[in-house]
């Protein structure tokens, strides 16, 4: 039997939340109106990775069974450009999910591709664009 996946904590999320906001700002979004974003961690149903309502983002505790890739160097995307597995393969990128959910808080709807695509594959990083 495989080892259980580690459970996400709000402490894991905070640096990546700050980087997700920075990435939207770099893309030209005005994030000042968002105010403080609350993070909740829960066991979400089925394949749901996260939801956003009001000023709250709720993240699934174990990325719908895939496990989270918690990037310790979020300003660098090197894990996704270097060959081999730096921990991102077979995991859901927490930074991408946070960028996606902040996109919803900014008023963006799902799109056919990119960071606002309704589905995210394992080992993938998507970045915001306006």
């Amino acid at each position: 039997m495989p080892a259980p996946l580690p459970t996400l904590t709000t402490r894991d999320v905070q640096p990546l939340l700050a980087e997700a906001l920075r990435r939207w700002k770099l893309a030209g979004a005005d994030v000042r109106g968002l105010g403080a974003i609350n993070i909740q961690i829960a066991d979400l149903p089925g394949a749901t990775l996260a939801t956003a309502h009001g000023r709250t983002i709720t993240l699934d505790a174990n990325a719908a069974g895939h496990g989270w890739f918690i990037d310790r160097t979020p300003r660098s995307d090197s894990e996704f450009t270097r060959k081999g597995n730096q921990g991102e393969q077979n995991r859901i990128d927490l930074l991408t999910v946070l960028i996606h959910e902040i996109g919803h808080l900014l008023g963006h709807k799902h799109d056919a591709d990119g960071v606002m695509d309704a589905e995210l594959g394992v080992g993938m990083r998507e970045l915001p664009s306006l």
Side-chain angles (χ1 to χ4, degrees), residues 19-101:
E19 179 61 13
L21 288 163
R22 188 183 82 82
R23 298 274 181 126
W24 271 113
K25 188 175 178 181
L26 288 173
D30 183 2
V31 298
R32 292 174 293 171
L34 292 178
I37 296 173
N38 302 311
I39 298 294
Q40 294 181 345
I41 299 169
D43 184 12
L44 298 176
T48 302
L49 298 172
T51 61
H53 300 288
R55 289 186 175 169
T56 299
I57 294 174
T58 303
L59 298 162
D60 188 67
N62 68 7
H66 298 286
W68 291 107
F69 172 62
I70 301 168
D71 194 345
R72 302 297 179 205
T73 57
R75 286 196 173 201
S76 165
D77 299 322
S78 64
E79 295 87 354
F80 297 89
T81 58
R82 280 187 294 186
K83 290 184 179 184
N85 185 2
Q86 285 71 231
E88 82 288 357
Q89 293 180 7
N90 302 315
R91 299 279 184 247
I92 298 292
D93 182 36
L94 180 56
L95 178 59
T96 297
V97 171
L98 289 168
I99 291 169
H100 176 95
E101 297 305 327

Side-chain angles (χ1 to χ4, degrees), residues 1-15:
M1 177 179 245
L5 295 170
T7 300
L8 186 66
T9 68
T10 55
R11 186 176 184 174
D12 295 326
V13 176
Q14 292 308 317

